[in-house]
Amino acid sequence: MSNQAPNEARVIPLRPATAPAPATGPAARPTGPVADASQRPRPVLAPRHTPPAPRSREPLWRDLVGDVLRRERLAQERTLKDVADAARISMPYLSELERGRKEASSEVLAAAARALGLGLTDLLSLAQGELTRVAQVRPARRRTPSASHHDGMCLAA
């Protein structure tokens, strides 16, 4: 059985602590047992290496679709509750879709689009247009001979 207190976690160092060499001689020895945890040597952790941030982030599809859903809802001057009820999805979930926090299934996207008076193809076409617009704002990469001959993105069902 352990002699640890039940609510105290045991610390297992990942790397050995780098401490100065211990002094020798009778004056360097402790006179009593080291019972206080604050007097125990603590492991020294190396700083974390964080990768550099990308120069320009590729737009995520869920962000583009969410922007289209929100723009269409606001253009119709409708509330989240109204559209969520018509689409038969929860209001918090629709909010998360609009903010790009959730990846929606095609069924949910179709329901949200229908609630806004759009078809799924309309919603996806608007999102594709937004992607094309955003891609043109970003510095264009040099095309390779095998690159697509389409100006935008092609979607296949």
Side-chain angles (χ1 to χ4, degrees):
M1 192 111 214
S2 173
N3 59 357
Q4 274 183 285
N7 292 334
E8 188 176 318
R10 191 175 85 191
V11 177
I12 301 172
L14 298 176
R15 295 188 182 115
T18 54
T24 57
R29 292 189 184 138
T31 56
V34 179
D36 186 14
S38 65
Q39 294 177 357
R40 290 186 204 140
R42 294 191 181 264
V44 178
L45 300 177
R48 285 187 179 175
H49 172 71
T50 55
R55 283 183 227 138
S56 62
R57 187 175 72 96
E58 290 270 345
L60 297 176
W61 185 248
R62 67 177 184 236
D63 290 330
L64 297 170
V65 171
D67 288 344
V68 169
L69 287 172
R70 176 166 283 171
R71 189 173 55 238
E72 289 297 316
R73 179 179 61 81
L74 293 176
Q76 296 176 15
E77 297 181 354
R78 294 175 67 186
T79 64
L80 269 173
K81 181 169 178 20
D82 178 38
V83 175
D85 288 346
R88 299 182 58 117
I89 58 178
S90 73
M91 190 174 63
Y93 189 69
L94 179 59
S95 174
E96 288 181 326
L97 289 178
E98 286 186 354
R99 290 181 288 133
R101 304 272 189 212
K102 296 287 184 185
E103 292 276 357
S105 68
S106 58
E107 291 87 1
V108 170
L109 288 179
R114 275 193 310 272
L116 292 168
L118 302 170
L120 183 58
T121 55
D122 299 325
L123 175 66
L124 297 181
S125 294
L126 289 168
Q128 187 267 335
E130 184 70 15
L131 177 61
T132 303
R133 187 189 64 75
V134 170
Q136 289 174 351
V137 171
R138 295 178 58 218
R141 292 185 192 170
R142 193 167 180 206
R143 286 189 152 195
T144 61
S146 64
S148 173
H149 298 290
H150 301 285
D151 291 330
M153 179 178 178
C154 292
L155 298 175

